[in-house]
Amino acid sequence: MSDNAKSAVTRATEERLNEELLDQLSLYGRRARGAVEKVAPELSFAEYSLLGHVHATDGARAQELARVFGLDKSTVSRQLAGLMRRGLVERDKGRRVRVTSAGERLLRATRAALLDLLGDRVADWTLEERRTFADLMRRYNAAEPEPGAEAADRPA
């Protein structure tokens, strides 16, 4: 086989693998959203993500959240308004959004339930397989850091 033919085979293999990765990541995203809605029907995946980030950073402004999540500030403001109406977050005097005790309880309960679901899904994986998967996910997520990613990487 010529070098050009090998190169074409390699490119085709890479494309197929990237398509498979994209399909698997899309499926993961749908399942992650569904898992949050299953264990905490009162929270959307976006609300859970915002709540977790605000908790992890001990407060944030809507503009910061918009930058971290790559959303328009008005979208984030609408999400935050819903969380505020339900008493899950509040604004402090500096206009930073902070998680309330009710929000913290809901976040803790949701995270615990999600960890249970995850534990069930990987129960037959070895510790080394879990470690490898976590390392690869970390590497994937770090490949193109988002603005404010250092704060977003802290667990909720």
Side-chain angles (χ1 to χ4, degrees):
M1 188 181 286
S2 72
D3 285 345
N4 284 345
K6 285 181 185 176
S7 181
V9 168
T10 300
R11 277 194 309 277
T13 301
E14 284 179 5
E15 286 176 16
R16 279 194 307 277
L17 282 171
N18 286 344
E19 286 178 10
E20 176 67 14
L21 283 169
L22 181 60
D23 290 346
Q24 293 303 316
L25 287 169
S26 296
L27 178 59
Y28 170 78
R30 289 191 304 275
R31 286 191 172 157
R33 282 189 304 278
V36 168
E37 292 166 6
K38 177 181 177 181
V39 302
E42 66 273 38
L43 280 179
S44 70
F45 184 75
E47 290 173 326
Y48 171 75
S49 298
L50 284 172
L51 198 59
H53 182 79
V54 169
H55 183 265
T57 57
D58 194 28
R61 289 188 171 82
Q63 186 172 347
E64 296 164 11
L65 293 167
R67 188 181 68 250
V68 167
F69 287 96
L71 298 169
D72 185 79
K73 184 178 177 246
S74 64
T75 301
V76 170
S77 293
R78 277 192 304 277
Q79 294 286 334
L80 290 174
L83 292 170
M84 279 186 230
R85 273 192 306 277
R86 294 183 345 249
L88 302 174
V89 297
E90 61 191 5
R91 288 199 191 274
D92 65 16
K93 290 181 179 159
R95 304 282 303 148
R96 294 181 70 78
V97 177
R98 298 204 185 276
V99 177
T100 64
S101 57
E104 212 169 311
R105 282 190 303 275
L106 178 58
L107 187 60
R108 255 194 321 274
T110 303
R111 188 168 173 83
L114 291 171
L115 285 168
D116 286 345
L117 288 176
L118 176 64
D120 292 345
R121 195 171 269 287
V122 299
D124 63 341
W125 294 20
T126 67
L127 289 177
E128 188 57 34
E129 287 170 328
R130 293 178 202 193
R131 188 173 295 114
T132 298
F133 187 61
D135 289 344
L136 290 171
M137 289 295 289
R138 193 176 306 106
R139 181 177 171 192
Y140 174 81
N141 287 322
E144 187 176 334
E146 298 175 31
E150 59 282 344
D153 288 341
R154 287 185 238 151

